[in-house]
Amino acid sequence: MKVAIIGAGAVGGLLAARLSATEAEVTLVARPNAASAIRRNGLTMVTPLNRVARLSPRVTDDSLSLGPQNLVFLCVKAHALRGTIDTLTPLLGPETAIVPMVNGIPWWYPHRQPDPLADRPLASVDPDGLLWRTIDPDRVVGATSFVAVEGDGPCRIRHVSDQRFVFGDAGDRDNTAVDRIVTLFGQAGFQPAKTADIRQAIWVKLWGNLAFNPLSVLTGSTLGRLCNDPGTREAGRAMMLEAKAVAEKLGVIFTTSVDERIAMAAGVGDFKTSMLQDYEAGRRLELDAILGSVIELAERCGVDVPMLRAVLAMVDLRARERREAA
């Protein structure tokens, strides 16, 4: 099985490191500078037990040299997906499955859904419908991850906690590609699961992200601190309840309570959210996919989400002020 991973960030690096230990032919597709650095220095992974593994994954900056793949994982930020299209296209064969490993509501979410989604792209994550037109949603295997992993310096990643991934067909069909992915991730030592309702899994993951990622930028606090402080915990809880109302209007049934989801996040401990890491590094924040998309869905459903709107406005201003000061 041929597997390509586009994106050499924390998640892409983790997948490259672990999947390369399986029988699959795995290639990490990175930008030229990153590919050169990984070829020169390898990839260092620090495990949750603080063990250090030094690996030499196959890496390239030229996807055209690889030819069609069986699986392609898109491990970039949601707002960077448009920039992967030229890299992705040479990797596609008739049966290639595309697996976006992105935070928030993905661009393919309305695929084969009833009103008020009805195959209408979301302007917040796909403003002109480019992703919808160029990446066939019928190829997509939806994915969500419950892992804490962060960049730890050049060519170095730190896997902080958890091993769980959930996969499901974007069109809610029985898809053999999902079974192949679950088997592959199991061989790599992860804890993968197959679901018939990938959108429900996306909302459970998003629940924590939409609340505590933005609050971490506003406060500079770690996930554990935000979940355990009474004030920020209650603010996050209010945001999650608004999002729950939106999801339920779209037919999502939650089997986890808000408080149970907060407890899951608190269990990660003093970990900087990916959004706080991006803010501190001066990178663009995933506000559109994590908050903007939920607000857009709320508008389609007729649900009022004042807390989500207020937090988005504050974080967006903070991010703009940082860019202007740079």
Side-chain angles (χ1 to χ4, degrees), residues 147-170:
V147 295
V149 59
E150 61 187 359
D152 195 32
C155 300
R156 185 180 174 95
I157 58 172
R158 179 177 293 276
H159 181 193
V160 178
S161 68
D162 221 330
Q163 312 266 9
R164 294 179 298 137
F165 292 83
V166 182
F167 301 99
D169 183 75

Side-chain angles (χ1 to χ4, degrees), residues 41-321:
N41 303 316
L43 186 66
T44 298
M45 180 176 67
V46 182
T47 74
L49 298 177
N50 284 323
R51 293 173 182 164
V52 178
R54 292 181 174 83
L55 310 134
S56 298
R58 184 183 180 193
V59 61
T60 184
D61 60 1
D62 178 18
S63 63
L64 190 61
S65 66
L66 299 180
Q69 304 287 295
N70 299 105
L71 302 174
V72 179
F73 292 89
L74 302 180
C75 298
V76 299
K77 301 291 186 181
H79 51 257
L81 282 170
R82 297 162 67 91
T84 68
I85 291 173
D86 289 344
T87 300
L88 172 64
T89 302
L91 302 174
L92 300 180
E95 304 298 326
T96 305
I98 302 170
V99 192
M101 307 288 290
V102 295
N103 287 326
I105 298 292
W107 91 90
W108 54 261
Y109 193 95
H111 181 50
R112 295 178 181 264
Q113 296 298 292
D115 283 330
L117 297 175
D119 284 290
R120 288 189 292 128
L122 297 169
S124 50
V125 293
D126 192 13
D128 56 4
L130 177 65
L131 295 172
W132 190 270
R133 294 193 307 273
T134 56
I135 304 178
D136 183 358
D138 276 327
R139 287 185 178 269
V140 171
V141 171
T144 190
S145 65
F146 295 88
V147 295
V149 59
E150 61 187 359
D152 195 32
C155 300
R156 185 180 174 95
I157 58 172
R158 179 177 293 276
H159 181 193
V160 178
S161 68
D162 221 330
Q163 312 266 9
R164 294 179 298 137
F165 292 83
V166 182
F167 301 99
D169 183 75
D172 298 330
R173 302 160 302 173
D174 188 20
N175 185 341
T176 58
V178 178
D179 298 308
R180 294 199 301 272
I181 294 165
V182 169
T183 298
L184 177 66
F185 272 61
Q187 292 171 349
F190 291 120
Q191 295 172 340
K194 175 182 178 180
T195 179
D197 188 0
I198 188 60
R199 288 169 180 79
Q200 192 267 353
I202 285 170
W203 276 99
V204 171
K205 169 69 181 295
L206 178 58
W207 240 4
N209 282 353
L210 69 85
F212 295 112
N213 279 24
L215 292 176
S216 72
V217 174
L218 293 176
T219 63
S221 294
T222 61
L223 190 54
R225 182 69 181 271
L226 289 168
C227 292
N228 290 309
D229 176 83
T232 52
R233 178 188 176 93
E234 189 55 32
R237 192 172 188 278
M239 296 171 72
M240 292 169 73
L241 287 172
E242 288 185 355
K244 182 173 185 284
V246 176
E248 289 178 338
K249 279 280 190 177
L250 295 171
V252 174
I253 298 173
F254 289 89
T255 58
T256 301
S257 73
V258 169
D259 291 325
E260 287 170 339
R261 182 64 183 89
I262 293 174
M264 288 169 57
V268 176
D270 289 328
F271 172 74
K272 288 185 178 181
T273 70
S274 59
M275 189 174 285
L276 179 57
Q277 293 176 49
D278 286 343
Y279 176 78
E280 291 180 343
R283 295 188 290 262
R284 180 176 170 180
L285 306 186
E286 291 182 287
L287 291 173
D288 292 333
I290 289 176
L291 275 179
S293 61
V294 179
I295 293 171
E296 181 178 354
L297 290 174
E299 291 170 350
R300 290 198 190 184
C301 295
V303 176
D304 194 22
V305 287
M307 188 71 169
L308 296 181
R309 291 182 184 278
V311 171
L312 175 59
M314 288 185 284
V315 179
D316 181 60
L317 177 59
R318 185 167 175 79
R320 282 187 284 117
E321 286 181 336

